Amino acid sequence: MSQPPEEIPVGQVEIKKRSRVPGVMITQYVKELPRGKTLPDFSRKPIALTVQEGKVAIFKAMVSGDPVPTVTWARNKGDTSDPEKYKPRYDERAREHSLEIVNVQVDQGDTYKCLATNPFGKAVCTATLSVFSVGLKKKQTDTSSNKDGQSNDPEDFRKMLKKTKIVKKRKEKPKKEGEIDPKFWEVMLSAKKSDYERICHEFGVTDFRWMLKQLNLKKKEKEDEQAKVVENVDNIKQIEVNTSGRAEFEFNMKLKDTNSKIYLYKNGEMLDYGDGTDDSSKHNMKKTGDKYSFSINNLDLNDSGLYQVDVDDVNIFSTTLAIPDVEFNGMLKDAKVVEGQDAVFEGVFSGPVTQITWCANDISLEHGDKYNITVSEDKLRHRLVVKNCNKEDKGVYTAIAGIKSSRATLAVDEDPNARGKGRGGASEGADDIARRLAEEQARLQRGKDEAARRSKGTDGRSDGVDGRGDGADGRGDGADGRGGLGLGDGSGRDATGKYGQGREGTDGSGKSGKGSGMGLGADGLGGQSAGVGSGGDGTDDKVHFASGLSDKNALRGKPAELVCKLNTDKIDGVWYKDGKKLTSKDGVVISKDGCTHKLIIQNCKDSDAGQYHFEVNGCKTEAIVKVGDLPEFDQDALQKFSNTVIVKAGQSASFKMSFPPQASLEIKWFKKGSELLDGGSVKVVKESNHSRLQMKDCLRSDTGQIKIQLKNPFGSIEALSSLIVLDKPGPPRGPLEVNESTSSGLELKWNPPKDDGGSAVTNYIIERQQVGQGTWKKVGDISANHLTFRDKSVSLGKRYIYRIYAENLEGISEAMETEKIMAGSLMFPGPLAPPTVVSAFKNCINLTWTPPEKDGGTKILGYQLEKRKKDTNMWVTLNPVSQPIQGLKYAVKDVSEGSEYEFRVTAINMSGAGEPSAPSVMVCAKNPNMKPHFKDPEDFMVVRSGNSIRIKINYEASPPPDITWLKNGEPVSPWNKIIHSDGTCTLVIPSSKYDDSGVYTIVAKNSMGQASFDIEVRVTDEPKAPGPVEIEQLVHGKVIITWGPSPDHKRDDRLHYMVEEHNSNTRNWRTIADHLLCTTYTTSIQPGREYHFRVYAKNDMGLSDPSDSPTWGVNSNKAVAASTVPPIITLERPPSILVPLKLHTPPTGYQCYMSCAVRGCPSPYIAWYHNGICIDSDKNYYIRNTFGVCSMCILRVRPEDSGEYKVVAVNSFGRAECSSTLKVKD
């Protein structure tokens, strides 16, 4: 079972951090790391492994961190606690952690986690383990128990046996103890050299030199074994997944016995396969000559494994298919480069992938001089670099990882710097062709006998038969001993002609010479042949052909012409057809023009087909004439085909053309002039009476002309259609023009996109970013008929970057991004008059100034102030330009007492800061002499008994005064604390008592005079409840309420009383009298109602507990029956708050005293909390609980002491709490 997710301990945080190693996730558990401590991290993380079943898998990792992290291992879908299967180790010398998995099984293939943890955080990384099994494993079935709840009736087992499918197993070589698995050698024998290292890593082979020696020996053994059933095996192509989603591998093989059986195995189990004609078949084998092609359709993850092809019992080929279970985290992106530049495609996967397949236009690519294929260390990033791009490199590039693929297009533009360069390609191409023709002539020496058979004279003439074409033969020499070389350029069915070799002749001087001919046939074109002869010694006066006849494919009803040329114009020859002599009466035109002899068939018919030859003086040249028609299309299908096909990007486009069945018909499809071949996203179906073209996942670049060509020996015809792929438009084109740039706006102009995506552009979207800011703001959306935009919300002097998008019905294009554009031109304000010093103090100098006369044409945004200390040359800015002073005055507080300063000020507008003013007069930072003066003092204070008394007085005086405190005209007690600070004096009495009440006087005196101020301080507490309440009625409708005075009545002259009433009619309490200084009160009553009264004592601190009166009214005179049950008296009660905490706002550094009153029986346990954290054991707080009075004292409060304070009282009967807030002033 998988491990449960880890929980963050209570009180900890969870902060995500980035590791320097890709693929590692770090979680921090504390807000701030202690000094010198570090989080766990990986200096080397474990890598993904692919291991054969039964082998050992070892994950290795190295970690760092202070304290040293603890390393643990886990897996996603299982448990790693079994010590027999999973063995974690640590190598102290190498400082390397490892997890060893012995005897790996298929079910252990999973994603494994490595966790490094210390008290401050953890680091996690993952690595996958892929396990593949080789050969057949016998399935273990447990027949002793019935897990599915089925009965053990023998009849049921018979039914099961009937459904059993017998699978043929491949004969495996036994594996000896200590030897490498034989499957390793089978894979290596069929693999490419570039894959050797990867295969050795998968099978755990490390001794490469020994492996190569053994591999050479086993290759010889395998060749000897294969020689029993096959003649040869070559052109091996390893298995790979193509762009159509099929896995394919192929090789050429020539069987000794055509009746030999070919078997296909996967992991040792034989597979059934089709012949490739049915797409529903999972596995297929297609045979074309000696070429065997195997394919696997509808790939999924279960198709991974070892595939082997056997002939009878002999292994011919082995290959491994690995399908990773990954997704594309980063898809390929379209690339556009200039000729000569490199193009880069990169795919990012969700998990490690050892190797992927790259394709260009559905053709797989390999690493080499043209293509550079690289993989990152963590196997997550795969990159393809197309070097030195040219026009032929453009097209669709695909990255394939198993059953996942991603496509992108490469566009290659012409290099503008390459125009006008020299063009020497034509001459170089001609030289290259001549060289290849000479090589081909030498190779075709074997055709000498065939050429000699067709040569009828002794002159050594060669027909120069071209490859499947009508190129004229080269003439050779006869007895004259000249060697002839002929180059024919005529019509033919093949793009490249072949060459004929002339027979030997003998010249007049007894020397022998050779004649040779070569022909180059142009595709579908008729041409005049030309012969060139190179001589030896001697001359020839006999008749011979300078150029012979060429085979002719004539169109029915059209003229045809046969031409040959002699070396002299003095001799006439004879024309023959099928051995019969021809004359002008036979419906042909025979003509002679000098050395050239022509036979013209004016209207070719089927009867004109046959063998023609021209004979003169024993020399003869032959040609075959065939009569036929051009291919033709079905007219209805042609009309439909001509209609334009419109699809959206990503959809499929289909074309179909019907035609009558015709012999020797060749069908080709073209897109924008380039031939389309079956494979990948293009599917071409060719039948006897129709052909279909289907293009999947169409791109915008597929838009263009679609052409189908039908070709036979008599010519070709074409039909044209158009494909339009609708997509989002291309980006608007530059160059961007700025028509206007002022403080009030920017006007931009651009050009429409080069490609509108096949659908008209509907509108343009404009976004703007101010330089220095990271956000983009949409500022415009205009119709497509406007190519200009005016941005009015700009600021003078600011620089902006714009993005312009084109939009059509299919979507929004990529953006055209502009350079930085400044709004308007900069015009700075003029200088100001020197600033004026208003006043100067030891810690502050007050300045004022007037606005400049010239504001630069825009609004003044503010001012920048600078200071210079006497005897220095440095001006120090008091505020940055980005934070100008808004007003015309400023208090400079950054001064040193006794130092002299001068100041200057600069105006700032939209363009920036202007010229500074002239300096002000030099001024000294010191206070002026003045008599003491108190600032806004309070003359009355009320303090709760037990709390501290703080009398704070602010004053101004220069020089500093002597301060004296008096109480009721007498000096205060020396136990009281007096605190002096700059311009402030505070009298502190730590714990007040009632006798601390009185009038306190502060006296400040200096050389300029004296001042004093009186403050009345009253120390009191909540009053105690009044005495018993009595009710007396002397007059009908009136009652007199009398109560005993409160114990605090005499010592608190501000104490008074409040009376509340409750009657049976209203049933709620209401105040009927307040601010009573006496202990009696008369009120009116109504007959028939019950009344209750209660009396409170009040002072400056609040209300006392009430004293309740007896009931007065209806039942007040009834006698109460005596109870026979003795009353039960108990004093136990839950806690309650008698006096809650109060709000406190002391200044920083002052004392704070907080208290409340709690009662309960038994005595409750008291706990104090600050912001939810218990502070009972914190030494920064002095906490006491005396007879229910709970107090807490902070000697010097700090800003961090601010917050909520709470008192919680708990006993066995319940719980009570109260809270208050402490706000510390600066």
Side-chain angles (χ1 to χ4, degrees):
M1 57 183 291
S2 60
Q3 293 190 357
E6 294 188 18
E7 296 184 358
I8 302 301
V10 178
Q12 291 186 355
V13 296
E14 186 177 9
I15 303 173
K16 300 298 182 182
K17 295 287 186 179
R18 179 177 296 178
S19 171
R20 63 179 181 272
V21 179
V24 177
M25 183 176 68
I26 299 177
T27 305
Q28 182 174 318
Y29 290 156
V30 295
K31 291 183 179 179
E32 295 183 0
L33 282 174
R35 189 172 184 179
K37 303 300 181 181
T38 58
L39 294 171
D41 198 356
F42 285 83
S43 55
R44 190 181 73 190
K45 67 175 186 177
I47 62 174
L49 300 177
T50 302
V51 181
Q52 179 186 343
E53 184 181 14
K55 299 294 183 179
V56 178
I58 301 177
F59 289 108
K60 297 181 180 181
M62 297 179 69
V63 300
S64 61
D66 188 10
V68 177
T70 302
V71 175
T72 56
W73 299 85
R75 56 179 291 192
N76 278 354
K77 301 177 183 178
D79 189 19
T80 59
S81 60
D82 189 350
E84 298 297 327
K85 296 181 179 179
Y86 304 95
K87 298 180 180 181
R89 306 181 189 277
Y90 176 67
D91 187 350
E92 293 185 354
R93 176 175 297 178
R95 298 182 180 179
E96 185 177 71
H97 295 267
S98 61
L99 175 65
E100 181 177 344
I101 308 174
V102 298
N103 192 19
V104 175
Q105 302 300 315
V106 174
D107 59 353
Q108 289 177 303
D110 199 355
T111 299
Y112 286 75
K113 295 182 180 179
C114 184
L115 302 93
T117 310
N118 70 7
F120 305 112
K122 72 173 181 179
V124 182
C125 68
T126 60
T128 57
L129 173 62
S130 301
V131 182
F132 65 92
S133 59
V134 180
L136 286 172
K137 289 191 65 180
K138 183 178 180 181
K139 295 183 179 178
Q140 303 287 340
T141 58
D142 186 2
T143 59
S144 63
S145 62
N146 189 352
K147 296 181 181 179
D148 297 330
Q150 298 176 353
S151 64
N152 292 328
D153 188 4
E155 186 64 23
D156 294 335
F157 285 105
R158 292 192 195 97
K159 295 179 180 178
M160 295 172 62
L161 290 172
K162 290 179 182 178
K163 297 179 181 178
T164 301
K165 181 179 179 181
I166 300 175
V167 179
K168 181 179 177 180
K169 302 177 183 178
R170 186 175 184 275
K171 295 181 180 180
E172 303 290 344
K173 296 180 180 179
K175 178 182 177 182
K176 298 181 181 179
E177 185 69 20
E179 288 187 354
I180 297 177
D181 196 295
K183 301 305 177 186
F184 166 76
W185 299 112
E186 291 185 8
V187 176
M188 289 291 290
L189 288 170
S190 302
K192 296 183 294 186
K193 291 184 179 180
S194 58
D195 293 333
Y196 282 2
E197 184 176 355
R198 175 180 58 82
I199 299 172
C200 289
H201 178 73
E202 292 176 358
F203 283 85
V205 177
T206 57
D207 192 344
F208 298 108
R209 183 171 297 178
W210 170 84
M211 181 273 297
L212 292 174
K213 292 181 179 179
Q214 295 295 319
L215 184 62
N216 291 331
L217 295 176
K218 291 184 179 294
K219 281 185 178 180
K220 295 179 181 179
E221 295 175 2
K222 184 175 182 179
E223 290 173 358
D224 295 338
E225 187 177 6
Q226 291 178 348
K228 300 176 183 177
V229 293
V230 298
E231 292 184 6
N232 67 304
V233 178
D234 55 14
N235 295 333
I236 295 175
K237 180 182 177 183
Q238 295 290 327
I239 192 167
E240 66 179 18
V241 182
N242 59 25
T243 55
S244 63
R246 294 194 303 268
E248 298 179 346
F249 61 94
E250 61 185 32
F251 52 88
N252 289 356
M253 176 177 65
K254 190 171 183 180
L255 299 175
K256 286 190 173 182
D257 183 1
T258 56
N259 295 323
S260 297
K261 294 184 178 180
I262 300 176
Y263 300 100
L264 175 64
Y265 296 91
K266 174 193 171 188
N267 295 334
E269 292 185 2
M270 189 180 75
L271 302 174
D272 294 330
Y273 56 84
D275 58 0
T277 59
D278 187 4
D279 293 339
S280 62
S281 179
K282 178 71 173 178
H283 304 88
N284 292 282
M285 184 192 79
K286 185 176 181 182
K287 181 177 181 299
T288 306
D290 293 337
K291 181 179 178 180
Y292 294 79
S293 300
F294 294 82
S295 62
I296 307 168
N297 296 324
N298 304 320
L299 286 179
D300 56 34
L301 297 177
N302 296 327
D303 290 325
S304 297
L306 177 67
Y307 289 81
Q308 296 170 287
V309 177
D310 287 7
V311 175
D312 293 335
D313 292 330
V314 179
N315 177 250
I316 302 300
F317 178 78
S318 301
T319 185
T320 302
L321 174 62
I323 302 180
D325 186 10
V326 296
E327 298 286 343
F328 274 86
N329 281 353
M331 309 295 284
L332 301 187
K333 295 183 178 179
D334 294 342
K336 184 176 182 181
V337 297
V338 177
E339 284 185 299
Q341 294 181 348
D342 294 347
V344 180
F345 296 94
E346 185 177 84
V348 183
F349 297 92
S350 59
V353 183
T354 304
Q355 187 177 12
I356 69 172
T357 301
W358 289 94
C359 295
N361 297 323
D362 302 331
I363 299 175
S364 61
L365 307 177
E366 292 185 356
H367 181 82
D369 295 335
K370 181 64 178 179
Y371 302 101
N372 184 20
I373 300 175
T374 58
V375 184
S376 62
E377 183 181 356
D378 56 3
K379 311 296 183 184
L380 297 179
R381 293 180 179 271
H382 292 250
R383 175 177 292 183
L384 168 67
V385 179
V386 184
K387 300 179 182 178
N388 193 20
C389 292
N390 52 45
K391 290 289 186 179
E392 288 74 21
D393 295 324
K394 66 181 181 180
V396 180
Y397 286 74
T398 310
I400 305 173
I403 57 178
K404 304 296 180 181
S405 64
S406 175
R407 304 176 68 203
T409 59
L410 171 60
V412 181
D413 293 339
E414 182 180 359
D415 186 1
N417 298 324
R419 297 177 180 173
K421 293 185 178 180
R423 304 182 179 268
S427 61
E428 294 174 0
D431 294 340
D432 185 62
I433 292 174
R435 178 181 57 80
R436 286 185 286 147
L437 290 177
E439 293 174 353
E440 187 68 4
Q441 181 184 10
R443 187 181 68 82
L444 293 175
Q445 182 68 26
R446 296 189 299 269
K448 175 181 177 180
D449 295 336
E450 177 65 17
R453 183 186 65 80
R454 298 189 60 184
S455 179
K456 299 299 183 181
T458 59
D459 56 350
R461 175 180 55 83
S462 169
D463 286 337
V465 180
D466 67 348
R468 298 169 61 189
D470 292 332
D473 57 308
R475 63 177 175 83
D477 56 17
D480 60 347
R482 291 183 180 178
L485 177 63
L487 174 62
D489 187 347
S491 63
R493 288 168 292 177
D494 211 355
T496 303
K498 295 185 179 179
Y499 311 91
Q501 184 68 39
R503 61 181 292 182
E504 294 184 4
T506 305
D507 62 9
S509 60
K511 297 182 179 180
S512 63
K514 291 183 179 180
S516 62
M518 53 184 175
L520 179 61
D523 189 4
L525 300 175
Q528 183 69 31
S529 62
V532 180
S534 61
D537 54 350
T539 60
D540 182 16
D541 295 332
K542 294 184 178 181
V543 177
H544 61 268
F545 287 97
S547 60
L549 296 178
S550 300
D551 290 344
K552 191 73 173 180
N553 292 320
L555 291 175
R556 186 177 287 108
K558 299 293 182 179
E561 184 180 85
L562 295 176
V563 180
C564 64
K565 188 176 182 180
L566 296 174
N567 64 337
T568 178
D569 58 354
K570 298 178 180 181
I571 302 176
D572 295 331
V574 182
W575 290 92
Y576 295 89
K577 174 181 181 291
D578 296 330
K580 181 182 177 182
K581 182 178 179 182
L582 294 176
T583 64
S584 299
K585 297 179 180 179
D586 295 320
V588 296
V589 177
I590 300 174
S591 65
K592 174 189 174 187
D593 184 9
C595 299
T596 302
H597 297 259
K598 292 184 180 180
L599 172 67
I600 300 175
I601 307 172
Q602 294 182 338
N603 187 6
C604 292
K605 301 181 292 296
D606 292 339
S607 59
D608 294 325
Q611 186 175 13
Y612 291 78
H613 72 267
F614 181 76
E615 187 172 342
V616 57
N617 289 354
C619 296
K620 181 173 69 174
T621 176
E622 298 176 346
I624 297 175
V625 175
K626 297 179 181 179
V627 179
D629 293 319
L630 289 173
E632 60 181 82
F633 294 114
D634 181 272
Q635 293 302 314
D636 293 336
L638 182 62
Q639 180 65 30
K640 295 180 181 179
F641 183 79
S642 62
N643 296 330
T644 301
V645 176
I646 302 176
V647 298
K648 292 186 177 182
Q651 296 180 346
S652 297
S654 297
F655 298 86
K656 181 179 179 181
M657 175 60 76
S658 300
F659 41 80
Q662 303 165 52
S664 303
L665 187 62
E666 183 179 356
I667 305 171
K668 291 184 179 181
W669 289 87
F670 298 86
K671 182 186 76 175
K672 294 189 288 189
S674 299
E675 185 177 359
L676 296 175
L677 302 177
D678 188 23
S681 61
V682 177
K683 185 175 183 62
V684 177
V685 177
K686 300 177 182 179
E687 301 293 344
S688 60
N689 61 348
H690 73 275
S691 179
R692 294 196 310 272
L693 168 66
Q694 184 178 20
M695 301 171 63
K696 300 178 181 178
D697 302 328
C698 289
L699 303 173
R700 175 60 183 164
S701 58
D702 292 328
T703 297
Q705 185 186 76
I706 301 297
K707 179 175 69 175
I708 181 173
Q709 182 188 79
L710 302 183
K711 182 179 178 182
N712 65 10
F714 303 98
S716 63
I717 61 171
E718 299 175 347
L720 302 179
S721 184
S722 296
L723 171 63
I724 298 178
V725 181
L726 301 180
D727 200 355
K728 60 185 181 181
R733 290 181 296 124
L736 183 80
E737 298 179 9
V738 180
N739 292 344
E740 182 181 349
S741 177
T742 63
S743 60
S744 60
L746 279 171
E747 185 173 294
L748 309 176
K749 182 179 180 182
W750 60 89
N751 295 316
K754 183 177 181 180
D755 180 13
D756 62 1
S759 177
V761 175
T762 58
N763 58 294
Y764 294 96
I765 300 172
I766 299 94
E767 292 182 349
R768 185 188 71 192
Q769 180 193 60
Q770 184 175 327
V771 175
Q773 299 181 0
T775 58
W776 288 89
K777 177 183 178 183
K778 182 178 178 181
V779 294
D781 190 339
I782 61 176
S783 61
N785 56 354
H786 292 88
L787 295 175
T788 60
F789 173 73
R790 183 178 179 84
D791 187 4
K792 298 180 180 180
S793 59
V794 296
S795 300
L796 179 65
K798 301 293 184 182
R799 294 180 180 269
Y800 300 94
I801 302 174
Y802 290 87
R803 285 178 180 170
I804 305 175
Y805 302 84
E807 183 176 10
N808 65 4
L809 297 178
E810 305 303 321
I812 300 175
S813 71
E814 300 293 330
M816 179 187 74
E817 188 167 310
T818 68
E819 301 292 335
K820 299 175 183 178
I821 304 173
M822 185 175 70
S825 57
L826 300 179
M827 296 184 65
F828 301 98
L832 290 79
T836 303
V837 179
V838 177
S839 61
F841 301 91
K842 66 177 182 180
N843 57 358
C844 179
I845 298 176
N846 295 305
L847 303 172
T848 185
W849 56 86
T850 57
E853 295 181 0
K854 299 180 180 179
D855 59 6
T858 58
K859 180 183 176 182
I860 298 295
L861 300 179
Y863 301 90
Q864 182 182 41
L865 189 63
E866 297 174 280
K867 70 175 182 179
R868 186 182 70 84
K869 195 173 182 180
K870 187 177 181 181
D871 299 330
T872 64
N873 295 324
M874 181 181 297
W875 286 94
V876 179
T877 58
L878 300 177
N879 65 293
V881 175
S882 59
Q883 299 176 2
I885 300 171
Q886 300 297 327
L888 297 174
K889 60 182 180 179
Y890 190 77
V892 182
K893 297 182 178 179
D894 186 16
V895 294
S896 300
E897 184 177 3
S899 299
E900 294 186 45
Y901 299 90
E902 63 179 356
F903 302 90
R904 67 183 184 185
V905 65
T906 304
I908 302 173
N909 66 3
M910 298 292 290
S911 297
E915 296 182 13
S917 68
S920 67
V921 297
M922 194 72 70
V923 59
C924 182
K926 66 177 183 177
N927 291 333
N929 293 336
M930 62 182 297
K931 177 183 176 181
H933 168 70
F934 299 106
K935 297 188 295 184
D936 302 326
E938 296 182 1
D939 58 358
F940 180 76
M941 293 180 62
V942 177
V943 181
R944 186 190 299 275
S945 176
N947 288 356
S948 63
I949 299 174
R950 288 178 173 271
I951 306 174
K952 181 178 179 181
I953 302 297
N954 296 323
Y955 63 87
E956 291 180 350
S958 182
D962 295 326
I963 296 179
T964 306
W965 284 90
L966 305 175
K967 177 188 176 186
N968 298 327
E970 298 293 332
V972 297
S973 170
W975 299 106
N976 298 336
K977 187 175 181 181
I978 299 174
I979 301 173
H980 295 278
S981 63
D982 190 12
T984 303
C985 184
T986 306
L987 174 65
V988 180
I989 302 175
S991 182
S992 62
K993 302 182 293 294
Y994 282 95
D995 55 7
D996 289 325
S997 299
V999 177
Y1000 289 81
T1001 304
I1002 180 174
V1003 179
K1005 182 179 180 181
N1006 66 3
S1007 59
M1008 302 302 294
Q1010 176 178 314
S1012 63
F1013 185 78
D1014 295 335
I1015 306 99
E1016 182 182 356
V1017 177
R1018 181 177 296 277
V1019 180
T1020 184
D1021 207 340
E1022 283 88 355
K1024 297 180 180 178
V1029 179
E1030 297 179 356
I1031 302 176
E1032 182 181 5
Q1033 184 175 17
L1034 299 178
V1035 181
H1036 179 73
K1038 301 282 185 181
V1039 294
I1040 302 173
I1041 306 170
T1042 307
W1043 60 88
S1046 170
D1048 298 325
H1049 186 84
K1050 292 183 179 179
R1051 62 180 181 180
D1052 191 347
D1053 56 355
R1054 294 176 63 87
L1055 185 140
H1056 55 276
Y1057 300 96
M1058 182 180 73
V1059 181
E1060 291 184 348
E1061 174 193 281
H1062 177 277
N1063 62 58
S1064 58
N1065 187 29
T1066 60
R1067 298 184 180 276
N1068 58 1
W1069 290 95
R1070 67 184 182 89
T1071 301
I1072 59 175
D1074 198 357
H1075 298 288
L1076 298 175
L1077 299 178
C1078 58
T1079 59
T1080 182
Y1081 180 72
T1082 301
T1083 184
S1084 300
I1085 61 173
Q1086 299 292 331
R1089 298 181 183 179
E1090 285 187 354
Y1091 288 88
H1092 296 271
F1093 301 93
R1094 59 188 183 192
V1095 181
Y1096 295 87
K1098 291 176 65 178
N1099 64 4
D1100 295 323
M1101 300 306 296
L1103 292 173
S1104 70
D1105 290 335
S1107 293
D1108 293 329
S1109 71
T1111 304
W1112 178 269
V1114 177
N1115 300 321
S1116 61
N1117 297 326
K1118 290 185 179 180
V1120 180
S1123 175
T1124 60
V1125 179
I1128 299 175
I1129 301 174
T1130 178
L1131 298 178
E1132 295 178 334
R1133 64 175 66 183
S1136 62
I1137 305 298
L1138 300 180
V1139 179
L1141 296 174
K1142 304 297 182 183
L1143 174 67
H1144 292 268
T1145 58
T1148 302
Y1150 283 58
Q1151 184 187 62
C1152 178
Y1153 184 88
M1154 306 178 72
S1155 65
C1156 66
V1158 181
R1159 69 179 177 182
C1161 186
S1163 297
Y1165 168 78
I1166 306 299
W1168 284 80
Y1169 292 84
H1170 176 217
N1171 292 333
I1173 300 175
C1174 184
I1175 59 174
D1176 289 346
S1177 59
D1178 195 330
K1179 296 182 180 180
N1180 293 324
Y1181 305 91
Y1182 295 89
I1183 299 174
R1184 297 183 64 185
N1185 183 13
T1186 305
F1187 302 107
V1189 178
C1190 307
S1191 60
M1192 184 272 294
C1193 180
I1194 306 174
L1195 293 181
R1196 289 180 177 271
V1197 295
R1198 302 165 296 175
E1200 52 265 35
D1201 292 328
S1202 298
E1204 182 188 52
Y1205 286 80
K1206 182 169 66 176
V1207 175
V1208 179
V1210 182
N1211 68 6
S1212 58
F1213 290 90
R1215 167 191 177 106
E1217 64 182 45
C1218 66
S1219 62
S1220 181
T1221 303
L1222 172 63
K1223 297 181 180 179
V1224 180
K1225 296 181 179 179
D1226 293 332

